[in-house]
Amino acid sequence: MIYLLRFWGLCYLFLLFNVKFSFAQDIEAGQQIFSQNCTACHSGGLNVISPEKTLQKETLEKYEMNNVEAITNQVTNGKNAMPAFGGRLSDDDINNVANYVLNQSEVGW
């Protein structure tokens, strides 16, 4: 019985570390996609088209864009001056960008 518990404990730890590693890869992939597609308007978390609508934490909170779902929706469908990337980027790429933006807003651009 104790061997079975140890086995399940090791499996749990493996999954735990694997999930965290995957998340880190998503952030890195999001950074690459952001650099290739978003920096023209959002370099350093700023916004050259609408300077008041930055990607800073406080601004994302103000406009209720401080979660992955809202950012994903914005990137996919666009809004106002922001074009839709749903036809240009895969769902995984958009999800990675959304996670990257949210992460950067938390740590500070």
Side-chain angles (χ1 to χ4, degrees), residues 57-73:
K57 181 178 180 175
E58 297 78 20
T59 305
L60 293 179
E61 289 172 353
K62 177 181 176 182
Y63 292 102
E64 298 180 356
M65 297 293 294
N66 57 334
N67 61 70
V68 172
E69 294 80 18
I71 297 168
T72 298
N73 184 54

Side-chain angles (χ1 to χ4, degrees), residues 19 29 34 40 87:
V19 168
F34 186 90

Side-chain angles (χ1 to χ4, degrees), residues 27 31 34 45 55-57 60 98-109:
I27 296 295
Q31 180 182 17
F34 186 90
L55 301 178
Q56 306 296 324
K57 181 178 180 175
L60 293 179
N99 278 290
Y100 171 73
V101 167
L102 192 58
N103 183 68
Q104 288 302 109
S105 75
E106 292 292 328
V107 300
W109 290 88

Side-chain angles (χ1 to χ4, degrees), residues 36-56:
Q36 296 167 353
N37 295 277
C38 310
T39 54
C41 296
H42 294 291
S43 182
L46 301 176
N47 187 329
V48 298
I49 306 298
S50 300
E52 71 281 359
K53 293 185 177 180
T54 68
L55 301 178
Q56 306 296 324

